[in-house]
Amino acid sequence: EPEVTQTPSHQVTQMGQEVILRCVPISNHLYFYWYRQILGQKVEFLVSFYNNEISEKSEIFDDQFSVERPDGSNFTLKIRSTKLEDSAMYFCASSQATYGYTFGSGTRLTVV
Amino acid sequence: AQSVTQLDSQVPVFEEAPVELRCNYSSSVSVYLFWYVQYPNQGLQLLLKYLSGSTLVKGINGFEAEFNKSQTSFHLRKPSVHISDTAEYFCAVSESHRGGGGADGLTFGKGTHLIIQP
């Protein structure tokens, strides 16, 4: 069964550093998403991406966040200057137009 | 904007007993509804979804859910649980007014931790 692949599974970074989280969506999917889950809290929508541009973004997705599909297979989330409160599990997802969301296993980001 | 309420943060159930996990939503437009399961230290796995048609939806691992528009609910049920069902269960909603374009993000509930007792 096709999978969404996320790397790394766990990343530790110092406060103020830039971090890039990587995702390989399912190859024939058209829509790509990032979600985050702070420990013990609910999963929150960050951004959706279609046709090489952002379709929707939440209030959480401020100027320190950016997304990119650099080479037609990868989908990345960049956090420019990490804060302690950015520590969370970040999930990538992809879907076709019929809401067949598939989530990756997540990247646990720890900001110290 | 839509919202999802999962009233029970934790549900303990004995093995082989039935279980119902409650989910209520609010939205000013039609919605698509989903249940996801998260096993410890793993990602989100889709259990089932309601897009249209029959209000009773069957999913994987013996789970089913019923969409009730008048009560704005989408409760998840399983007639007999197994120890392996211990996990966090998330209800999620997406607005369908854009004709299924797929760009809408999912709004998740806070999750219900299902604890199976032997």
Side-chain angles (χ1 to χ4, degrees):
Chain A
E1 189 171 330
E3 290 184 344
V4 173
T5 306
Q6 289 187 244
T7 54
S9 57
H10 190 187
Q11 180 152 0
V12 181
T13 188
Q14 287 199 328
M15 193 168 54
Q17 293 297 305
E18 175 182 285
V19 66
I20 297 176
L21 309 182
R22 303 182 191 279
C23 169
V24 179
I26 293 174
S27 60
N28 62 346
H29 282 186
L30 303 176
Y31 299 88
F32 314 110
Y33 312 83
W34 283 101
Y35 291 79
R36 80 171 184 191
Q37 183 184 28
I38 295 172
L39 187 63
Q41 299 187 25
K42 66 179 178 180
V43 179
E44 301 171 293
F45 169 73
L46 292 179
V47 65
S48 62
F49 191 86
Y50 171 72
N51 200 25
N52 285 320
E53 60 182 21
I54 291 174
S55 301
E56 263 194 83
K57 58 183 181 178
S58 70
E59 293 175 351
I60 303 167
F61 194 86
D62 61 22
D63 291 344
Q64 72 159 343
F65 291 94
S66 63
V67 289
E68 195 177 31
R69 190 156 160 79
D71 56 13
S73 62
N74 290 284
F75 180 52
T76 62
L77 174 70
K78 182 191 290 185
I79 309 175
R80 288 192 184 82
S81 178
T82 50
K83 303 190 282 278
L84 293 176
E85 53 265 38
D86 293 327
S87 294
M89 181 75 89
Y90 287 82
F91 291 106
C92 174
S94 68
S95 78
Q96 295 172 319
T98 52
Y99 288 89
Y101 295 97
T102 301
F103 282 81
S105 297
T107 293
R108 181 168 297 285
L109 176 65
T110 303
V111 182
V112 297
Chain B
Q2 64 269 36
S3 66
V4 177
T5 302
Q6 291 181 249
L7 285 172
D8 305 306
S9 59
Q10 202 166 283
V11 172
V13 181
F14 286 108
E15 197 170 10
E16 297 184 9
V19 69
E20 178 179 84
L21 305 184
R22 296 181 293 169
C23 172
N24 289 87
Y25 69 92
S26 70
S27 176
S28 56
V29 299
S30 297
V31 295
Y32 298 141
L33 294 153
F34 307 79
W35 275 100
Y36 284 87
V37 60
Q38 184 180 31
Y39 298 104
N41 300 314
Q42 293 189 28
L44 296 163
Q45 182 181 4
L46 179 66
L47 275 178
L48 47 78
K49 62 186 177 187
Y50 171 80
L51 304 182
S52 65
S54 173
T55 56
L56 183 63
V57 181
K58 293 192 184 295
I60 63 171
N61 302 340
F63 284 94
E64 63 180 33
E66 186 154 20
F67 170 54
N68 188 319
K69 189 175 181 180
S70 62
Q71 296 187 5
T72 60
S73 68
F74 191 55
H75 301 330
L76 181 70
R77 302 186 189 99
K78 185 170 182 178
S80 176
V81 295
H82 188 265
I83 198 81
S84 60
D85 292 322
T86 297
E88 193 81 16
Y89 291 80
F90 292 95
C91 181
V93 64
S94 178
E95 293 184 346
S96 65
H97 66 286
R98 298 187 189 188
D104 293 350
L106 290 170
T107 298
F108 283 83
K110 291 186 177 181
T112 298
H113 189 198
L114 178 61
I115 302 168
I116 308 301
Q117 300 168 327

